[in-house]
Amino acid sequence: MSEALTLDNLAVPLRVLRLLATDFGHLPAPEIDVSTIYPDQLALRFHDDLADFEVWRDALGIVPDDVVYREQNDGRTRVLKASADYAGAVLELTGYGDVPALAPVGTPA
């Protein structure tokens, strides 16, 4: 049986969260995840609007070429994913947004 983690084991991502709140407190609020499964990682998730993901990506200096694009939910949801090392933690950014519906053929633009 492995030894249980303590709150001290999560000090790195919690410190990064504090730094982000201080340095980027004016940016849109993400869903935040700190996990004992990945104790050196801080996950920031943005739902419904990829613009918030892009604001954070730009603020953190993550270049667009480092963003991974995929789709889920039978092609109805776009997913952008990027990660960066930040103050000793792995910072995971994930953005979710709807794929725009295509207009039926013959519909005026």
Side-chain angles (χ1 to χ4, degrees):
M1 179 180 224
S2 63
E3 188 173 323
L5 293 178
T6 66
L7 193 56
D8 282 341
N9 297 118
L10 300 176
V12 171
L14 292 173
R15 182 180 65 240
V16 168
L17 180 58
R18 184 175 175 192
L19 290 171
L20 293 176
T22 300
D23 295 342
F24 302 111
H26 61 285
L27 295 182
E31 174 189 333
I32 298 165
D33 186 21
V34 176
S35 171
T36 56
I37 297 170
Y38 303 105
D40 292 329
Q41 179 176 304
L42 176 65
L44 306 179
R45 293 187 194 94
F46 305 90
H47 297 272
D48 302 321
D49 188 358
L50 296 176
D52 292 347
F53 171 92
E54 286 297 324
V55 167
W56 275 91
R57 181 201 56 75
D58 187 52
L60 294 168
I62 300 171
V63 297
D65 287 346
D66 289 342
V67 175
V68 174
Y69 174 85
R70 62 182 178 88
E71 294 179 359
Q72 64 184 34
N73 198 19
D74 289 329
R76 293 188 305 251
T77 303
R78 295 184 288 180
V79 180
L80 299 179
K81 209 165 214 201
S83 64
D85 291 330
Y86 191 86
V90 175
L91 190 57
E92 292 280 339
L93 299 179
T94 306
Y96 301 93
D98 292 334
V99 172
L102 297 175
V105 175
T107 303

